[in-house]
């Protein structure tokens, strides 16, 4: 059975804190460098003495046991020193657990003192704090507090198992790097990226992060451990037994008991600023904007094998929405932690006004569709520039000619997908056809007529190598065999102005129905699209907003799914548990639906039932109008803020990517035929 919501740290991990020969640090291999790490355990400004501090090397691979590298006990002032041998592997992820035992004076009547079991062996107390060393240079003094614990719980939420933290490369290493975007382990403060624009005071995430830290402090110094564990317990799961595991449970099920958890956090106001009111869900949403002068209308995202995010860009960057912008001539590449990759953004290869089309093929090349987007008032004629795709090597070198790869019927390309054989598919929105590029050889590109489709838009390959393409103009989906032979046309099932398509590991297809949005290609204009967007008053889901499920045989479910935060659906992706995630081009929210693997859903749930809170979904004021949504090898959900909430036609583009940290089950990348666990 597939692990559901991540398996939490169990007693086996904390038992390693017990003294005795059987729990001694493992001998270090010859040649490891001796070093030491100073640190301090604190709650806010209060030092915490007497903590059992253990340094681990995370297991290399799913389920692999972590290695104990060193142990110490914090002094009265909270300080400790860990003497250890630094692992030779530069990819090793190190993390610290500080077990405070049971808060003084809080042991239940009749319980053994200080977390001891009936045999006197230490079992670990309810107050456990954590910090991660991997993913950044070790600070001169490591701070372990509630903030660093929340950072570990969210960023590494998908890499915990019966014996501790473990996972495959690159997801585990990338997750460790993301943890440093949340908390500064050298100071215990909010990390610089979270504290400054486009985050900081511009969104509520920093205040939410501090409130989560207050929630753990309610147990660590406030003694309200039992109440925390009762509220954090997810339906169908064991009750957490320590603060770290409680925080991981909240990360996995952020909509569970959200109001009650907020009330508890308010009892121990340790970190500021904090939320003034309870959130609908405890998702942690980080904004990334690269150098702050490059993203303008990000359309979609595709991940390479290392978890780097390639991003299509509608417009040339412009800070003033009233000044007309022409089509973007760059493709963005972000590291897994949200920084510009070396040399990025990349230019050339025929790029102009890229839309929703971007994919990474089996050889690691990134492909981008040049749709010809531009703002009102741009003097460029886009017609000659909207008939190509561009290709880039992993280092950003353009592999397509100056005018891009043309031919094969490419006209206003939108959705793109690649299969395991290296074939690249392009949905030609303006040509009512599909282009097939066998083995990534653009000189062999050919047009595949799809007369059953009008305005092909979204594209996805299933595990059998078949292509699924949505027809935004005639409420349909076309299925093509791996060689391009049409197999079937799907209608019904609630298909209404469909946009994105995603397939799961079982061959089912999930289609987002915008309900109202006519994509601006062919005989549909940007004015038509803008008029439809103008009907979004923010008062509630728009007509036809839903998701359609189609079986591998092409049979749609009788009724579409309409709840869980589906407002104006666009991007859709399936995670490593076959759970479904949906972005919205309005409403500032993400929907999460139970997929076809019911073992990954809460007990009693049905396929399509919302896991995110009904009505609200997972909202965030960091979101604007989102198009692309994809999931990386660490389980982070990435979204493209494509348009501003109130768009101006001269330059409607948004300027950020938004990442829900650790929210989903990790996915092996690049995506080439249904999701798979790394």
């Amino acid at each position: 059975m597939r692990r559901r919501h991540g398996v939490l740290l169990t007693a086996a991990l904390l038992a390693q804190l017990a003294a005795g020969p059987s729990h001694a640090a493992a001998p270090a291999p010859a040649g490891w460098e001796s070093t030491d790490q100073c640190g301090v355990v604190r709650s806010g400004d209060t030092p915490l003495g007497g903590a059992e501090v253990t340094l681990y090397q995370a297991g290399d691979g799913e389920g692999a046991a972590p290695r104990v590298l060193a142990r110490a006990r914090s002094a009265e002032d909270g300080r400790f020193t860990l003497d250890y041998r630094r692992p030779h592997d530069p990819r090793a992820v190190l993390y610290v657990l500080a077990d405070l035992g049971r808060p003084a004076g809080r042991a239940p009547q009749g319980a053994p003192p200080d977390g001891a079991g009936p045999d006197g062996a230490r079992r670990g107390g309810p107050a456990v704090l954590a910090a991660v060393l991997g993913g950044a240079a070790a600070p001169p003094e490591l701070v372990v507090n509630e903030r660093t614990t929340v950072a570990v719980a969210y960023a590494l939420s998908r890499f915990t198992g019966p014996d501790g933290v473990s996972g495959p490369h690159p997801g585990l290493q990338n997750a460790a790097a993301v943890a440093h975007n949340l908390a500064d382990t050298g100071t215990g403060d909010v990390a610089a990226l979270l504290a400054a624009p486009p985050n900081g005071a511009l969104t509520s995430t920093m205040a939410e992060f501090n409130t989560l830290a207050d929630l753990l402090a309610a147990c660590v110094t406030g003694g309200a451990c039992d109440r925390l564990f009762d509220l954090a317990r997810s339906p169908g799961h064991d009750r957490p037994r320590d603060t770290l595991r409680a925080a991981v449970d909240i990360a996995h099920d952020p909509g569970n008991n959200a109001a009650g958890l907020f009330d508890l956090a308010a009892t121990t106001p340790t970190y500021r600023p904090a939320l003034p009111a309870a959130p609908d869900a405890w998702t942690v949403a980080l904004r990334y904007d690269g150098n702050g002068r490059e993203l303008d209308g990000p359309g979609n995202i595709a991940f390479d094998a290392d978890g780097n995010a390639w991003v299509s860009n509608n417009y040339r960057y412009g800070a003033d929405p009233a000044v007309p912008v022409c089509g973007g001539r760059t493709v963005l590449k972000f590291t897994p932690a949200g920084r510009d990759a070396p040399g990025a953004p990349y230019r050339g290869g025929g790029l102009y006004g890229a839309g929703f089309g971007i994919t990474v093929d089996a050889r690691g090349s990134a492909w981008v569709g040049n749709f010809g987007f531009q703002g009102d008032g741009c003097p460029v004629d886009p017609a000659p520039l909207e008939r190509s795709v561009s290709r880039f090597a992993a280092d950003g070198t353009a592999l397509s000619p100056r005018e891009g790869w043309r031919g094969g019927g490419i006209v206003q390309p939108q959705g793109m997908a690649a299969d395991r054989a290296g074939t690249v598919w392009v949905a030609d929105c303006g040509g009512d056809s599909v282009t097939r590029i066998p083995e990534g050889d653009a000189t062999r590109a050919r047009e595949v007529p799809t007369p059953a489709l009008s305005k092909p838009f979204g594209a996805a390959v299933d595990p059998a190598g078949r292509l699924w393409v949505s027809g935004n103009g005639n409420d349909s989906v076309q299925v093509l065999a791996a060689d391009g032979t049409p197999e079937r046309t799907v209608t019904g099932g609630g298909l209404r102005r469909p946009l994105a398509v995603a397939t799961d590991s079982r061959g089912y297809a999930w289609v987002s129905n915008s309900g109202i949005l006519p994509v601006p290609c062919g005989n549909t204009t940007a004015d038509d699209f803008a008029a439809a967007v103008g009907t979004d008053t923010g008062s509630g889901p728009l007509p036809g907003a839903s998701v359609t499920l189609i079986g591998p045989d092409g049979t749609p479910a009788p009724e579409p799914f309409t709840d869980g935060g589906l407002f104006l659906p666009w991007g859709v992706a399936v995670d490593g548990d076959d759970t479904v995630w949906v972005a919205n081009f309005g409403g500032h929210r993400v929907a999460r639906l139970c997929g076809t693997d019911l073992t990954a859903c809460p007990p009693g749930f049905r396929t399509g039932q919302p896991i995110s809170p009904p009505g609200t979904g997972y909202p965030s004021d960091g979101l604007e109008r989102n198009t692309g949504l994809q999931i990386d090898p660490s389980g982070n959900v990435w979204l493209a803020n494509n348009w501003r909430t109130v768009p101006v036609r001269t330059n409607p583009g948004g300027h950020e990517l938004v990442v829900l940290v650790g929210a989903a089950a990790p996915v092996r990348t690049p995506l080439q035929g249904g999701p798979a666990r790394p």
Side-chain angles (χ1 to χ4, degrees):
M1 180 182 295
R2 195 177 283 171
R3 289 191 303 163
R4 184 174 60 194
H5 297 284
V7 182
L8 301 182
L9 289 169
T10 65
L13 175 79
L14 292 176
Q16 296 180 35
L17 295 173
S22 63
H23 299 289
W32 282 22
E33 179 184 353
S34 296
T35 188
D36 58 60
Q37 177 65 58
C38 298
V40 59
V41 185
R42 292 199 302 246
S43 177
D45 295 326
T46 303
L48 300 174
E52 293 278 4
V53 182
T54 305
L55 174 65
Y56 296 93
Q57 178 182 345
D60 185 13
E62 185 172 0
R67 177 189 292 270
V68 177
L69 299 181
R71 288 194 181 88
R73 182 179 289 272
S74 65
E76 187 175 347
D77 63 358
R79 283 179 161 74
F80 60 86
T81 300
L82 295 162
D83 297 310
Y84 71 104
R85 299 286 185 90
R86 182 180 290 117
H88 180 70
D89 184 357
R91 303 188 312 183
V93 171
L94 308 185
Y95 64 99
V96 167
L97 295 184
D99 180 8
L100 297 156
R102 188 174 297 280
R106 302 292 178 174
Q109 188 173 3
D114 196 28
D119 58 359
R122 184 175 181 79
R123 302 303 187 202
V128 174
L129 299 177
V132 65
L133 288 175
E141 181 176 74
L142 174 70
V143 177
V144 185
N145 65 7
E146 291 91 351
R147 278 182 175 139
T148 63
T149 306
V150 174
V152 170
Y154 272 76
L156 298 171
S157 71
R158 302 293 166 169
F159 298 96
T160 57
D163 298 315
V165 176
S166 65
H169 176 80
L172 175 63
Q173 288 74 16
N174 296 348
V178 172
H180 295 287
N181 287 343
L182 297 173
D184 185 333
T185 55
T187 63
D189 294 335
V190 170
L193 185 143
L194 176 55
N199 298 291
L202 298 181
T203 77
S204 61
T205 300
M206 181 172 64
E208 179 191 14
F209 180 73
N210 283 331
T211 307
L212 285 164
D214 284 345
L215 184 59
L216 302 191
C219 170
V220 172
T221 59
C225 301
D226 286 338
R227 187 177 171 198
L228 169 62
F229 302 156
D230 288 341
L231 289 168
R233 178 180 184 177
S234 296
H237 290 262
D238 293 336
R239 181 177 183 265
R241 288 174 294 175
D242 62 66
T243 48
L244 174 59
R245 288 184 285 187
V248 171
D249 278 4
I250 295 167
H252 286 174
D253 194 359
N256 181 44
N257 291 326
L261 290 166
F262 173 80
D263 291 341
L264 178 57
T267 66
T268 313
T270 303
Y271 298 99
R272 289 293 178 267
L275 289 176
D280 292 302
W282 294 97
T283 46
V284 171
L286 278 177
R287 280 178 161 184
Y288 296 152
D289 68 352
N291 63 21
R293 303 176 305 280
E294 58 191 19
L295 282 165
D296 200 321
N300 205 355
I301 303 154
F303 295 103
D304 64 21
D306 293 323
N308 299 299
W310 290 81
V311 184
S312 57
N313 208 30
N314 290 178
Y315 311 108
R316 183 175 180 177
Y317 177 81
D320 186 350
V323 177
V325 290
C326 293
R329 293 185 180 270
T330 60
V331 61
L332 295 307
K333 182 182 178 183
F334 288 81
T335 68
R339 276 76 175 179
D340 276 343
Y346 307 127
R347 294 170 171 80
L351 285 169
Y352 189 80
F356 195 62
I358 188 166
T359 191
V360 175
D361 68 19
R363 298 176 182 173
S365 295
W367 295 76
V368 186
N370 300 307
F371 181 81
F373 273 114
Q374 56 189 37
D376 283 1
C378 170
V380 175
D381 177 8
L385 304 171
E386 61 187 22
R387 295 174 177 267
S388 71
V389 295
S390 300
R391 182 186 179 193
F392 292 83
D395 65 358
T397 301
L399 301 178
S400 47
R402 287 185 60 188
E403 66 275 10
W405 289 117
R406 301 193 175 201
I410 296 174
V411 182
Q412 293 184 305
Q414 284 286 14
M416 300 178 70
D419 65 19
R420 295 185 182 94
T423 294
V424 175
W425 299 87
V426 185
D428 298 311
C429 191
D432 288 343
S433 63
V434 170
T435 299
R436 182 175 183 268
I437 306 174
E439 300 177 333
D441 182 356
T443 64
R444 297 161 55 198
R446 71 178 178 91
E447 182 178 7
V448 179
T450 52
L453 285 181
S454 172
K455 297 180 175 54
F457 188 83
V461 174
D462 69 15
R466 301 180 302 172
L467 181 73
W468 297 70
V469 188
S470 64
N472 177 265
N474 65 342
D475 302 337
S476 65
V477 171
Q478 179 83 56
V479 186
L480 304 178
D483 64 358
T485 302
E487 287 193 353
R488 57 181 54 85
T489 301
V490 183
T491 57
L495 290 170
R496 185 173 176 185
R497 291 290 185 187
L499 292 172
V501 183
T503 61
D504 67 19
S505 68
R506 301 180 176 195
Y508 287 81
W510 297 81
V511 186
S512 64
N513 297 303
S514 70
I516 64 165
L517 295 178
V519 292
C521 62
N523 59 3
T524 303
T525 67
D527 289 336
D528 298 327
F529 181 83
V533 173
T535 65
D536 173 13
T537 63
S539 59
L542 298 180
S546 66
V547 170
T548 294
L549 172 64
I550 306 173
D553 64 354
T555 303
E559 297 293 334
F561 307 116
T562 59
D563 207 348
L566 295 172
F567 185 91
L568 186 50
W570 194 307
V572 59
V574 180
D575 70 17
D577 279 343
D578 276 342
T579 300
V580 182
W581 296 79
V582 187
N584 289 281
F585 200 69
H588 310 281
R589 65 192 71 176
V590 178
R592 180 186 180 192
L593 308 179
C594 177
T596 57
D597 182 359
L598 300 184
T599 67
C601 304
F605 270 48
R606 306 176 307 278
T607 295
Q609 186 171 346
I611 297 174
S612 51
T616 66
Y618 295 147
S620 171
D621 55 6
L623 297 171
E624 294 194 273
R625 294 190 179 275
N626 301 116
T627 49
L629 179 152
Q630 302 294 339
I631 298 162
D632 72 13
S634 299
N636 302 309
V637 179
W638 293 60
L639 299 107
N641 271 354
N642 179 249
W643 271 21
R644 294 180 177 90
T645 301
V646 182
V648 179
R649 293 283 301 282
T650 48
N651 179 8
H655 297 300
E656 307 91 15
L657 302 176
V658 181
V659 176
L660 305 185
V661 179
V667 172
R668 182 188 307 157
T669 57
L671 189 64
Q672 294 169 349
R677 283 276 196 168

